[in-house]
Amino acid sequence: MKNAAEAAHGGYAISTYAMKELPLEQAVQMMASRGWTAIEIMCEFAHREWVDWPLERVDALAEWGRAHGIRWSVHAPIEDVNPAEEDELLRARGLYVLRRCIERAERLGAAYVVVHPGAMDSGDDYAEDAWERAAAFLRELLDATAGCRAAIALENVPPYPGLLGTRVEELVRVVTAAGSPRLGLVYDVGHAHMLGGGYALQGLREAAPHLLGLHVSDNRGSADDHDAVGKGTVPLEALLAGLPELAAERHVMELCTLEDAELSAARVLELRSGQAVGV
């Protein structure tokens, strides 16, 4: 049975991005003390070091997580990891980092590891060249971690210059071609909303057959603000209405502060139960 604090969060997940300035162990302990039982480790800022932890330290976190009933997912590093990288040394470095990330996620029992598709090289004449490199990289990563149960979840990214994967159909093409049950999608509603024109709903429909998780935040369509739900214009009520069956712990509140994450979880819970949501 859920305790009162966990019930208030609806069983939804929180990203450690909300406490990125604190050491990871301190951040997750504080989250657990406030009733969060599903946590996504964001491997950037102070939590980037998790990828380099010795295995004994990872195992200690896994044991603590089991004792507290924590369900995990992991967001792989973004900086210095580019699946579409052309330089062989940098590509090999990125592959090494993601292998370590997935192997550590496996020890936690994490459901999936979120990966960004990468960015075009300055010498690319066509995005297709970059996509071919990214797809080959992901096939190699799947092969290198074939013994792991943790899935790889490609995330749609903000529409910033040079980035691959702003539109879901691009991601679906890679997932379909790979033909692996360990490769799916995490859909970021805030990123999709930045494409305008009602794309957030269209993108969700395209992502649905491959959906492993959802990143929840709000913005006004011009920047990836990671605002609390209700403070922007993301059509979250319509998105939730069209969302396929997805476990609560796969709804990740990816907000800038713990308070905004808790507020957002409460608002999502209200929306899903058909109650009015105030700002």
Side-chain angles (χ1 to χ4, degrees):
M1 180 178 294
K2 295 180 180 179
N3 60 37
E6 183 185 1
H9 303 324
Y12 301 130
I14 184 172
S15 169
T16 65
Y17 180 69
M19 305 190 78
K20 56 186 176 292
E21 74 284 354
L22 293 180
L24 180 61
E25 286 130 326
Q26 185 179 344
V28 298
Q29 288 167 10
M30 183 173 294
M31 289 170 176
S33 74
R34 294 177 70 131
W36 292 96
T37 56
I39 298 174
E40 182 163 291
I41 297 173
M42 176 62 167
C43 296
E44 286 290 351
F45 308 101
H47 305 161
R48 171 64 173 76
E49 67 168 11
W50 179 80
V51 179
D52 298 317
W53 279 10
L55 295 180
E56 294 79 7
R57 192 174 175 188
V58 177
D59 290 342
L61 181 63
E63 183 177 352
W64 173 87
R66 287 190 292 271
H68 290 81
I70 304 297
R71 295 153 296 182
W72 301 98
S73 57
V74 174
H75 194 310
I78 302 168
E79 295 295 325
D80 302 322
V81 176
N82 179 12
E85 179 59 60
E86 187 171 22
D87 183 279
E88 286 299 323
L89 288 177
L90 293 176
R91 180 185 184 279
R93 172 61 183 170
L95 186 63
Y96 171 77
V97 169
L98 289 183
R99 283 186 61 179
R100 288 176 66 89
C101 191
I102 291 170
E103 288 163 358
R104 281 156 173 73
E106 184 75 2
R107 297 178 88 96
L108 284 184
Y112 55 79
V113 176
V114 180
V115 175
H116 284 196
M120 291 190 290
D121 186 84
S122 59
D124 285 327
D125 292 325
Y126 303 101
E128 190 63 30
D129 297 334
W131 272 116
E132 288 177 1
R133 293 195 300 272
F137 180 102
L138 291 165
R139 288 193 296 270
E140 186 172 350
L141 182 61
L142 285 165
D143 289 344
T145 59
C148 296
R149 291 167 295 178
I152 298 168
L154 293 179
E155 180 183 6
N156 60 304
V157 298
Y160 295 151
L163 294 186
L164 300 177
T166 59
R167 301 188 70 86
V168 172
E169 63 263 30
E170 299 169 329
L171 304 177
V172 168
R173 185 171 51 143
V174 173
V175 170
T176 302
S180 170
R182 287 186 55 231
L183 185 62
L185 302 179
V186 157
Y187 189 66
D188 190 301
V189 301
H191 295 169
H193 183 56
M194 291 174 64
L195 272 72
Y199 179 79
L201 289 166
Q202 174 191 333
L204 178 61
R205 287 193 293 269
E206 294 171 355
H210 311 280
L211 199 62
L212 298 177
L214 195 73
H215 279 175
V216 178
S217 67
D218 212 339
N219 64 60
R220 295 188 177 277
S222 58
D224 188 20
D225 298 314
H226 290 272
D227 278 340
V229 171
K231 292 187 176 180
T233 55
V234 172
L236 195 61
E237 185 170 11
L239 287 165
L240 292 173
L243 189 68
E245 190 65 30
L246 192 66
E249 65 264 25
R250 303 295 181 90
H251 297 65
V252 181
M253 304 298 122
E254 197 177 58
L255 283 305
C256 296
T257 68
L258 182 59
E259 293 72 22
D260 278 354
E262 292 177 340
L263 176 61
S264 295
R267 286 176 170 162
V268 171
L269 184 60
E270 290 173 353
L271 284 172
R272 299 223 74 169
S273 61
Q275 300 174 15
V277 179
V279 176

